[in-house]
Amino acid sequence: MSGRLTRRRVLGLAAIAAAAGAGLTWELSGARQVGEMARSELALPEPFTLPGTIPAVLEPQRQDSTTDYYQLTQLRAHVQIIPGHLTEIWGYNGLFPGPTLKATRGRTAVVTHRNELPEPTVVHLHGGHTPAEYDGYPTDLLYPEGSPAPTMDPDDPQARITQGSRDYVYPHQQPAATLWYHDHRMGHTGATVWRGLAGFHLIGDDIEDSLGLPREDYDLPLLLCDRSFGSDGSFLYSGMEPGHHSQGMLGDVVLVNGVPWPLYSVAAARYRLRWLNASNARVYRLVLHGTHREAPNFIQIGSDGGLLGAPQHLDAFDIAPGERIDTVLDLSGYRVGDELTVVNDLGTGSTVPVLRLRITRTVTDTSRIPDRLADVEQIDTRTATHRSFDFRQDRARDAWLINGRPFDPLLVDADVKLGQVEIWRLTTNFNHPVHVHLDQFQVLSRNRRPPRPTDLGRKDTLNLGASEEAEIAIRFGDYTGRYLIHCHNLEHEDMAMMATLVTHR
Ligand code: C2O
Ligand code: CU
């Protein structure tokens, strides 16, 4: 314990709540919270006193018959998160979360990112079916304008390096889904996402539009993340100091769309709540508590890759870093003044409360939740190719390994033929949310048993508990090049828990 603390540079942290040298660990029916929590050093607001917000929507600069053109600038900014304090963030357009892109299936988006931050960045559209050159491979750096930048990376000659600004092209040949974009720079993703580089990217389509689901003011994207604050209001981050084998950074403040434990004023109507866990390492188990009458269930309508075949009721659900759970909450039977609270059953103390909804008005609600949502193809696995990926820690090498090796951009860990169905066996001896780029997968089994309810639909991130295993079926399509499979605990990712997947025809 003391050895660990002296090895670690404690960067202004008054205290790190680290239990028993191995970091904080607690277990609750399978799910497990791991990581090191930094304690905030200032007075925190009372939960459910600050008004809830929805991220701004980014309008295209121009449009033509096939394409929407957007511009984003990555900037430092100072924003008020804790009342009475300013926090320096790194944000897309200086916002945290970044503005929401609303895209349409089949229409291309060209997003021009300009980097005005002090360091290079990489943009990844998480869940996007994206050509490799725009996918945000961790060495495809965008250097800030004016800073010295190499034209070539000697450690990875294939890296596509640019300076100033760069176009990311997203063809959006994929169903309606809740995606998100975030930084993905090799070795730095934990720190840069913690500073604020994350936002929603929603894809809509005709199928979704025809269903009559709650929309517009009744469609709320909710980005969950945890942060801790120094006495001056700054974000505390100590995840990646040299020699410190991080299990993942945890904060003691739960933010929803950048607001601590917000209170949303809502109508007595159906709401679509699109949950995204953009935390570095925190897993949430979300549960509803009614303060005036019995709480309704969450009705899950979608997961990472889009709508489910049919809605399903969930009393509670787990959501790990990178995952999205798309739900509808039916508040139509509620009266003005009623309240509902969402809590995190995997949290302790200040990380239990999440948000509160207060019914402040009645409306005529014409939305509905049809019994059938989308057609989700069952992947035919009869002629599948088999592979396995084992996620394991190597303390001696200060790395988290996949199939025994740390990330190396010069190595190809899986060479995959487009169109070929693959069955992948994922194993682990620790808690890892496993994420695959380019295409979503179907979960075939968990621990040799049927998938869990929240494994249904198309997933791109699957939370594996310690000593769990899962089988997934996946078929990559359309685009050749370098992609990733990695752990979405961002500190594990930064400590090399990534592997390169190359697709070919
Ligand atoms: Cu959300 Cu490879 O990442
Ligand atoms: Cu991990």
Side-chain angles (χ1 to χ4, degrees), residues 55-58 70-74 91-102 111 113 122-128 134-135 168 170 178-184 189 192-193 196-202 223 276 278 324 488:
V57 173
L58 186 70
Y70 296 91
Q71 275 182 351
L72 280 172
T73 305
Q74 303 174 13
Y92 299 108
N93 282 358
L95 300 170
F96 166 59
T100 300
L101 269 84
K102 287 194 173 172
V111 186
H113 276 267
V122 172
V123 181
H124 172 58
L125 175 57
H126 181 128
Y134 307 117
D135 191 55
Y168 289 86
Y170 303 121
T178 304
L179 311 186
W180 63 300
Y181 63 107
H182 61 78
D183 197 53
H184 214 309
T189 300
T192 54
V193 170
L197 289 174
F200 278 102
H201 184 121
L202 310 179
L223 181 147
L276 156 64
R324 287 84 71 210
H488 218 289

Side-chain angles (χ1 to χ4, degrees), residues 431-433 487 489 492 497:
N431 196 76
H432 300 292
C487 177
N489 174 314
H492 298 187
M497 197 169 237

Side-chain angles (χ1 to χ4, degrees), residues 154-205:
D155 296 323
D156 180 13
Q158 280 186 65
R160 302 172 187 87
I161 293 174
T162 43
Q163 190 170 28
S165 62
R166 162 178 209 145
D167 289 349
Y168 289 86
V169 180
Y170 303 121
H172 294 136
Q173 299 291 345
Q174 64 187 102
T178 304
L179 311 186
W180 63 300
Y181 63 107
H182 61 78
D183 197 53
H184 214 309
R185 179 183 168 202
M186 186 157 123
H188 296 263
T189 300
T192 54
V193 170
W194 188 272
R195 286 178 173 132
L197 289 174
F200 278 102
H201 184 121
L202 310 179
I203 303 179
D205 67 11

Side-chain angles (χ1 to χ4, degrees), residues 368-386:
R368 53 193 201 100
I369 310 169
D371 295 337
R372 296 293 315 155
L373 296 165
D375 286 324
V376 182
E377 179 212 355
Q378 294 298 300
I379 297 179
D380 180 348
T381 56
R382 279 172 302 183
T383 56
T385 301
H386 290 255

Side-chain angles (χ1 to χ4, degrees), residues 34 247 391-392 400 428 430-434 464 486-493 497:
V34 294
Q247 298 198 349
F391 292 73
R392 218 158 275 272
W400 293 90
T428 169
F430 199 78
N431 196 76
H432 300 292
V434 173
L464 294 180
H486 66 89
C487 177
H488 218 289
N489 174 314
L490 298 183
E491 283 69 39
H492 298 187
E493 172 180 334
M497 197 169 237

